[in-house]
Structures are given as structure tokens and as C-alpha cells.
Amino acid sequence: MILYNAHLPGIADGDTLVLVAGKIDWIGAMADLPAVYDDVQRVDLEGRLVTPGLIDCHTHIVHGGNRAREFEMRLEGASYEEVSRAGGGIVSTVAATRDGDEDSLLQSALPRVDALIAEGVTTIEIKSGYGLDRETELRMLRVARRIAQVRPITVCTSFLGAHAVPKGSDADHYIDEICIPALRAAHAEGLVDAVDGFCEGIAFTPAQIARVFDVAKQLGLPVKLHAEQLSNLGGAALAASYGALSADHIEYLDETGVRALAKSGSVAVLLPGAFYTLRETQSPPIDLLRQNGVPMALATDCNPGSSPLASLLLTMNMGATLFRMTPSECLAGVTAQAARALGLSDRGEIRTGQRADLAIWDVADPAELTYRIGFNPLWKRVFAGEWT
Ligand code: DI6
Ligand code: FE
């Protein structure tokens, strides 16, 4: 397929893309189109903006139930940590997720997935972490894989067994006797693309996370970490020492942590939806990340508690307004940098050889994607060269 009359920012004189066998085969000016493409079907984009398909690199989109009641408690003044210590929070979603079978978890996740797709998302990451037992952790990951069968998107899975300590359990016992064996079982079933954890006072210590990461390393799986969200336990530096794909949240990250990420080449995944929902006041160290050349991605963190957000466009707006990221950083944060956070080198950029996952927008200036609130200017999507 030939897409001509396209607005391709940053590509000098380029107004045409040729897609062949699911990939970008040629980019340039229509006037220079090589004759080999003479018979290929053409579509006039009438000047519309073309970006890579958007990538949501951090979601908990598969989960049972909702936490609207907890939302009300927080409006009445309870903090996220207080709710969590009172038996609400993550462990209440665990009960609802254990109750759901594969089909019901799939049916409840799909409307959220479809909301992302409607805004041009073509790749999403999905974590386990609301099972906290072997059976439910694996079920969540199977549902994540099924999403990629019933929708045209790519799904990358992360095993997040180390998300919370289940009610009545001891954290060390849980890590060694439940979480790590579940990781091995999920890996054996081909369900795991990466391994994640939650390093925090209300979750796991760096030493406990390190035990999970050691197993990930043995299995040849990349790691990432929820780090420095509510306090600084040195989680990002720990993740960096394992060559992590990313450190996520990182509101409380200090300069030592930023340097560690720069050295390991890990991506800083910023989650303004959680910052907004929890009314956090400590912003991630954006200037330090910039100065140290740490790539910044943005993601929804779509989950029922701290970020009930299913819009990557709104996430971009929040990245700008709450974190003062520039609109071009926001766009790179949901394309090239998000791809990097997932270890995917075949997508996220408009470049020859890349997978033809594209979003086509009815806007003149790419900054419009970040600036409007609650408005979706998507015109069409292309998944691996196919219109939808
Ligand atoms: N941090 C988060 O933002 C999500 N998990 C985590 O470790 C929130 C999960 C939840 O509140 O259900
Ligand atoms: Fe998260």
C-alpha cells in the first residue's frame, strides 16, 4: 500500500510511505517513487499526520472488579497507603481477580483495551500481579495472550507476582514458595516476556525483589520495576544493576538513581495517571533525567486502584501539564521510547524496515495530540500494514 500526501514530521521532503509485507518499505517524496511500486494500491491521506502506532508500555489492564469504593474513601481523606494497610488496595483486586475465570477476565478487559485501540494504540504491555497465587497469576497471563488473538494488537506480558503480599502471608515465604515457583511455571508455559516487581514499603524490599530478578536472569528474561513511587528504597538502582528495560513511576528517584539508569540504558517510564489519581505532590526528576540522557516513556498504568485510566492521549496531556514534558517528549514517550521500554526494536519509529503499525490523525501539528483534553482526532489505524 502507498500512503501519499502524508504529513511526516521530521522527514525532509517525505510525503509518501510504501508498506509491503507488513513493514515500511520505502519513505520519500511521491515524485521520487521508484517504478517497482507502480502497481501498488494508493491512498491519499490529504495531508494528515502519520505517527507510529502508539505503545502503552505499562498496564494492569487484566483484573477483576473495580475500586470505586476505595476512590470514595480516598476522597474522604484516606491515603493510598492507609487503604492498602486496611486490607483494601491491591489485595482487594486480588480477591475479585481470583474469582474471575479466563472468559470473564477477558470480557472485562476488552472494553478497556478497545478504548486504547480507539486512540491509535497498536502495542500494549499487560502485567499479572492480581493473583498472588500460581493459578491466578498464570490465568491473568493467559488472558493477556488471548487479547492478542481477539484484537489486532501486539501484547507484551510481564510477570508481576511480586506486586503485593497476600493477606495472611509472610513476604519472604511468599517470594520463595509462591512467587518464584509461579514465575517458573508461567515461563515454562511461554507466558512471560519480562519480569516486574513492586519495590516499596507496602510491598517488597530490594533484597526480596533481587531474589525474583535472580530467577529472571537464570531464565533469560528481562526485568523492570515499580520503583520509587511512594518513597526511595533504591529500587531503580537495583533494577539498573540487572540491566532493566525500565524503572517505572520513579517520583522519589534521586540523582544516584538517575545516574544508575543512565549507565544501564534503562528507560524511565513515567505514569502521570497514578500521580494524578493519588494527588501526589512529588514530581519525578524530569530535568535530571533529561540532563543525564535517560530516555523517558509515558504509560497509562491502567489499573483499578491508582490509575483507572484508559487513555494514552490524556496520559500525554498529563505528562506535559503535570510533569512539564514537551509535546515532542510526550509523543516519543508513547512511541519510540515506549518501544524501547519493551525491548522492541522493530517499532515505534517511522523508518524503513519498521513494522507498519501506524496511527493517522486529523491534526496539522503533532503537538495537538498532547494539547487537547478528551478529544480523539484519530482518523485511521494500520496494524502491520493492514487497515482496520
Ligand atoms: N503501582 C501501581 O501504580 C499499581 N501497582 C503498583 O505497584 C497500582 C495497583 C493497584 O492499586 O491496584
Ligand atoms: Fe503499575
Side-chain angles (χ1 to χ4, degrees), residues 101-224:
D101 61 13
E102 252 185 60
D103 286 336
S104 68
L105 290 172
L106 178 67
Q107 289 315 316
S108 71
L110 283 176
R112 299 185 282 269
V113 172
D114 288 340
L116 293 175
I117 292 174
E119 291 185 346
V121 171
T122 50
T123 298
I124 75 172
E125 186 258 16
I126 301 178
K127 303 175 194 297
S128 69
Y130 289 122
L132 310 183
D133 63 26
R134 177 184 177 132
E135 190 189 320
T136 318
E137 287 294 307
L138 268 67
R139 191 187 322 133
M140 289 182 73
L141 294 170
R142 285 187 206 113
V143 171
R145 291 277 191 243
R146 274 179 67 186
I147 288 173
Q149 291 163 4
V150 297
R151 292 295 182 270
I153 55 170
T154 303
V155 170
C156 299
T157 59
S158 299
F159 176 85
L160 177 57
H163 191 199
V165 184
K167 235 185 232 164
S169 268
D170 164 75
D172 281 310
H173 178 266
Y174 171 72
I175 291 288
D176 298 324
E177 306 300 328
I178 314 273
C179 176
I180 288 174
L183 168 57
R184 292 187 189 281
H187 172 67
E189 215 180 292
L191 293 172
V192 185
D193 298 327
V195 175
D196 197 350
F198 187 21
C199 187
E200 192 58 64
I202 54 170
F204 297 98
T205 63
Q208 289 159 345
I209 297 293
R211 296 215 291 282
V212 179
F213 282 4
D214 284 337
V215 175
K217 200 165 153 186
Q218 270 174 27
L219 300 175
L221 294 169
V223 303
K224 54 176 76 175

Side-chain angles (χ1 to χ4, degrees), residues 24-25 39 65 74-75 90 127 155 175 181 184 201 218 270 284 311 322 352 356 361 372:
I24 301 176
D25 207 52
D39 296 333
R74 282 190 289 98
L75 288 174
I90 295 173
K127 303 175 194 297
V155 170
I175 291 288
R184 292 187 189 281
Q218 270 174 27
L270 305 168
S311 166
L322 299 175
T352 307
W361 309 92
R372 288 196 193 276

